[in-house]
Amino acid sequence: MTRKNSGIVNGALEEISALEYILLGDLLDLLEESDGDAGAWKWISQVLDTLLKMMPREFELQDEGGYLEEVLEEQPNWQGHVRNLYQERCDLLKKLNELQVRMQDSQPLHQMRRIAGELRHELRDWITSYIAHQRHERRIIQDAFNSDIGAAD
């Protein structure tokens, strides 16, 4: 990837990450307000739709040159960690999609009320897991570059 393309990719990733951060905050707020409110669930559905459209693009940009390739260049023996993070990321996207489908399948509103508490709990858990995953990605990148292989005097 050229330096110019790298800058474009990084800029796009920053924009997507910023929007994702806002959407996750909005989603948490909406979940607090959603108790039986059809309008809140409509907005939750729209936020989920947006996340499900954005996240594959974000992952595609992150994967240019290989997922966490910079980590593997510094620490080739961390392949297992990187593979586990990649799988976790795929599982998180799949779980969000499943939650969205369950939410859509529970329409109309009277059916939504029946599973609203469960969905609210599962969406909060998903957000917590996704944020933890992002932190783990950042931590493994930092650790790879800050790892001291063993300096000799």
Side-chain angles (χ1 to χ4, degrees):
M1 182 171 11
T2 67
R3 187 179 197 109
K4 181 179 179 185
N5 286 344
S6 177
I8 293 170
V9 167
N10 288 338
L13 268 171
E14 285 177 18
E15 284 181 30
I16 289 172
S17 293
L19 181 56
E20 186 176 273
Y21 178 80
I22 292 167
L23 288 171
L24 290 175
D26 289 348
L27 185 56
L28 282 170
D29 290 344
L30 287 165
L31 288 170
E32 292 299 319
E33 303 167 6
S34 65
D35 195 32
D37 179 13
W41 283 102
K42 178 183 168 208
W43 282 108
I44 289 169
S45 180
Q46 290 180 354
V47 169
L48 293 181
D49 284 344
T50 303
L51 284 169
L52 285 165
K53 288 175 186 162
M54 277 180 21
M55 291 174 81
R57 177 65 181 141
E58 176 186 23
F59 296 167
E60 181 183 303
L61 290 170
Q62 287 175 338
D63 292 352
E64 281 214 7
Y67 178 70
L68 294 178
E69 189 61 34
E70 66 275 21
V71 169
L72 294 176
E73 287 173 7
E74 290 293 316
Q75 303 291 338
N77 57 332
W78 290 9
Q79 274 186 331
H81 296 300
V82 170
R83 187 174 36 253
N84 290 343
L85 273 173
Y86 182 82
Q87 184 59 50
E88 182 179 86
R89 186 181 77 171
C90 293
D91 292 344
L92 282 163
L93 184 59
K94 181 180 175 188
K95 176 67 176 176
L96 185 61
N97 191 52
E98 289 169 0
L99 289 169
Q100 173 71 334
V101 167
R102 278 186 44 220
M103 200 168 103
Q104 289 171 343
D105 288 348
S106 67
Q107 298 301 326
L109 183 60
H110 69 277
Q111 290 178 352
M112 173 61 78
R113 285 188 181 126
R114 192 176 41 131
I115 67 162
E118 182 181 317
L119 272 173
R120 190 171 31 249
H121 178 73
E122 288 184 52
L123 282 166
R124 281 190 195 116
D125 286 350
W126 182 89
I127 291 169
T128 301
S129 296
Y130 187 67
I131 290 169
H133 171 80
Q134 289 177 316
R135 285 185 186 134
H136 196 176
E137 282 180 331
R138 284 190 299 274
R139 192 173 338 112
I140 198 171
I141 291 168
Q142 291 170 345
D143 290 350
F145 288 94
N146 292 329
S147 178
D148 192 0
I149 307 274
D153 288 326

